Amino acid sequence: MFGASGGPRRQGVALEAFKFALYLAVPISLTFFVAFNPTMLDKVIKNRMYVVYPPEGPRPPTNEELWEKIREKKNKEEQGR
């Protein structure tokens, strides 16, 4: 009735164990394949660039530059009187 394999229940458990092992092995092996292969990792990163930043614009003035502009403005106002 059950045959040499131990019965339908044991076959079902073996099938579920195989599916579970496959479920774990595929993502883990793909992760290792991509993570430890630098060329593949570069391809994936370049292919999945979701955020594209605009080119960098001019930098705001530093504190020293701002204080210098304030001093120049005050000097111009004093000279204008």
Side-chain angles (χ1 to χ4, degrees), residues 31-65:
T31 301
F32 278 112
F33 174 72
V34 171
F36 292 119
N37 187 354
T39 57
M40 180 61 73
L41 188 61
D42 287 339
K43 286 180 185 177
V44 170
I45 290 172
K46 288 178 183 175
N47 188 27
R48 301 288 181 201
M49 291 180 68
Y50 294 111
V51 178
V52 178
Y53 294 102
E56 190 171 329
R59 297 244 180 215
T62 62
N63 286 343
E64 293 83 21
E65 293 171 344

Side-chain angles (χ1 to χ4, degrees), residues 2 5-16:
F2 294 116
S5 65
R9 177 169 281 172
R10 182 169 269 173
Q11 287 176 348
V13 171
L15 177 63
E16 289 300 319

Side-chain angles (χ1 to χ4, degrees), residues 14 28 40 68 72 77:
I28 291 172
M40 180 61 73
E68 185 64 33
E72 289 174 4
E77 288 176 3

